[in-house]
Amino acid sequence: MATRQEEARQAREAKLDELHDKLIGAVERLVTGDDWADALRFAAKFRSRSFNNVLLIWEQHQAAFEQGRVPEPFPTYVAGYKQWQQLGRQVEKGQAGYQILAPVTGRFASANPSDPASWRRLNRGEKPKPGETVRSKMVGVRPAYVWDVSQTTGDPLPTKPEPQLLTGEAPAGLREGLAGRIGSEGFELLWVPHEGMIGGANGLTNFETRQVAVRTNMDDAAQVKTEGHELAHVLMHGPDQEARRHRGIGEIEAESVALMIGAAHGMDTSEYTIPYVAGWAAAVDGKNPVEVVQAVGERIRKTAIDILDGLDTIQVSDGTPPGLDRDTQRRPPERGPGRAAPAVEPEEARPERAGRGL
């Protein structure tokens, strides 16, 4: 007869399997359709979340919309149950939360921190020996829950400035901000009169001469989008990069970063078309398209955030409710040498209350 602890473990594993199936299903739809641009625009508005958790939120909110449980097809702000309470709002009765992946951490101690083999895990309540260093490390994942603001009621959220964009023009300060980052990476930015000067392209990055060129005979917004594309090449595709990538993936990565930068500034990218994911993902030897999309998605998100965090521009929300500082409520898990953490994030666990959760 299974013990209560064993039953709890089996229940958690079942939920993790369910989350995995949802995630793979969302990625497979990206691979077989033209939803990549929509997914990236969505990720740009929820850039405080890992790419995998963005897809999980997207998938579950779409289902909630189709079932009539939420009024809009896309969420606006998401947070945990207690986080909404901190903002004076309450999850409505019967509203199911969206499952995401959150890390499980353990405490480890070592008398010789530079030796990876010296670390030992501390039991609950166990104290380290004198002179030992203690660190928290990720040891697994668990399901956690978040809710969209439309699933809550209560105090109004604080308002924050949103970018206002005129057709054909780039947001104020974006051209200069991207130019400054290109320069800080040691590249000279050249604005050239027409595409004939750069092989018929909109932009060109030359790692040998360390120059970035963008043609000026197109709309201001297109110029700045191309500037962001070339900056992504500078950051992601140089000769010193550890992982050299297929040319098609490199182009999609750069265009995707540019799209996320634009979307984070409210830029209209509706006329911009990204090739079907299957066209380039299937061309990578030794990996199936789902693996490629998952790997590339997080890499794109991190590069776009790195650029956006360095810009002094007005940007759309990152999906965190105004007035809530998630950074003060988390302790980033430390990783042992040579171990990469999965794309998950700290979140509060689901409250054990009837009628809530998935």
Side-chain angles (χ1 to χ4, degrees):
M1 184 175 180
T3 64
R4 182 173 299 178
Q5 185 177 10
E6 178 65 16
E7 290 175 349
R9 184 188 65 80
Q10 292 176 352
R12 188 170 83 170
E13 288 183 355
K15 288 182 179 179
L16 289 174
D17 288 341
E18 180 184 353
L19 272 173
H20 176 75
D21 291 342
K22 287 178 180 177
L23 181 59
I24 294 302
V27 173
E28 285 176 341
R29 275 185 281 284
L30 293 181
V31 171
T32 57
D34 58 355
D35 293 334
W36 186 241
D38 287 339
L40 289 171
R41 293 187 189 101
F42 185 80
K45 295 180 179 179
F46 285 83
R47 54 191 181 277
S48 64
R49 306 279 173 180
S50 72
F51 189 72
N52 281 349
N53 280 339
V54 165
L55 294 183
L56 287 170
I57 293 169
W58 187 18
E59 179 86 353
Q60 293 170 89
H61 189 89
Q62 287 287 319
F65 175 71
E66 292 171 1
Q67 296 165 9
R69 293 191 288 111
V70 292
E72 300 293 338
F74 293 102
T76 52
Y77 301 113
V78 296
Y81 188 87
K82 292 181 180 178
Q83 292 171 335
W84 281 124
Q85 289 182 325
Q86 291 173 16
L87 295 173
R89 298 185 68 85
Q90 185 69 35
V91 174
E92 293 179 343
K93 185 176 180 180
Q95 281 287 0
Y98 304 151
Q99 286 182 316
I100 61 173
L101 295 167
V104 175
T105 60
R107 294 169 64 246
F108 291 78
S110 171
N112 184 16
S114 61
D115 179 10
S118 69
W119 290 92
R120 63 185 181 86
R121 186 169 182 179
L122 298 175
N123 295 320
R124 180 173 296 181
E126 181 182 357
K127 295 182 179 180
K129 298 176 182 178
E132 284 188 324
T133 298
V134 178
R135 292 178 183 170
S136 294
K137 300 179 184 179
M138 182 183 293
V139 295
V141 295
R142 62 176 173 81
Y145 291 77
V146 294
W147 285 261
D148 180 57
V149 64
S150 64
Q151 299 174 289
T152 70
T153 57
D155 296 343
L157 294 176
T159 58
K160 60 178 294 184
E162 295 288 347
Q164 300 295 321
L165 181 66
L166 298 177
T167 302
E169 295 182 5
L174 184 54
R175 176 189 293 264
E176 295 78 11
L178 295 175
R181 181 62 186 272
I182 290 172
S184 71
E185 296 295 328
F187 282 72
E188 180 185 9
L189 178 59
L190 305 174
W191 298 99
V192 300
H194 57 83
E195 61 272 26
M197 301 179 66
I198 49 177
N202 291 333
L204 181 67
T205 296
N206 189 320
F207 285 95
E208 292 184 359
T209 64
R210 299 191 71 79
Q211 291 179 321
V212 169
V214 178
R215 69 181 178 97
T216 57
N217 59 336
M218 52 184 175
D219 285 352
D220 180 57
Q223 293 180 40
V224 173
K225 184 194 75 68
T226 301
E227 191 183 9
H229 173 113
E230 300 306 324
L231 174 55
H233 277 314
V234 167
L235 297 175
M236 303 175 78
H237 305 132
D240 296 332
Q241 289 284 337
E242 292 183 6
R244 298 307 302 272
R245 293 174 174 262
H246 186 278
R247 168 66 188 276
I249 293 183
E251 288 301 315
I252 289 298
E253 285 181 331
E255 290 285 358
S256 298
V257 169
L259 189 150
M260 285 192 69
I261 293 171
H265 290 85
M267 289 181 67
D268 181 9
T269 57
S270 59
E271 295 184 2
Y272 170 67
T273 303
I274 294 180
Y276 289 155
V277 176
W280 53 267
V284 181
D285 295 335
K287 292 186 178 181
N288 67 48
V290 171
E291 292 173 333
V292 173
V293 171
Q294 285 183 288
V296 170
E298 183 64 11
R299 180 172 152 89
I300 289 167
R301 186 191 75 91
K302 287 183 176 179
T303 303
I305 288 175
D306 177 45
I307 294 171
L308 290 167
D309 283 348
L311 296 175
D312 186 18
T313 54
I314 297 177
Q315 301 172 19
V316 300
S317 168
D318 65 359
T320 301
L324 180 67
D325 186 358
R326 295 177 66 230
D327 290 334
T328 62
Q329 302 176 45
R330 65 173 68 178
R331 286 188 305 174
E334 299 185 37
R335 299 195 294 271
R339 294 189 61 189
V344 297
E345 60 199 66
E347 275 294 352
E348 60 187 67
R350 167 198 173 196
E352 297 300 326
R353 298 170 185 249
R356 294 195 173 91
L358 195 62

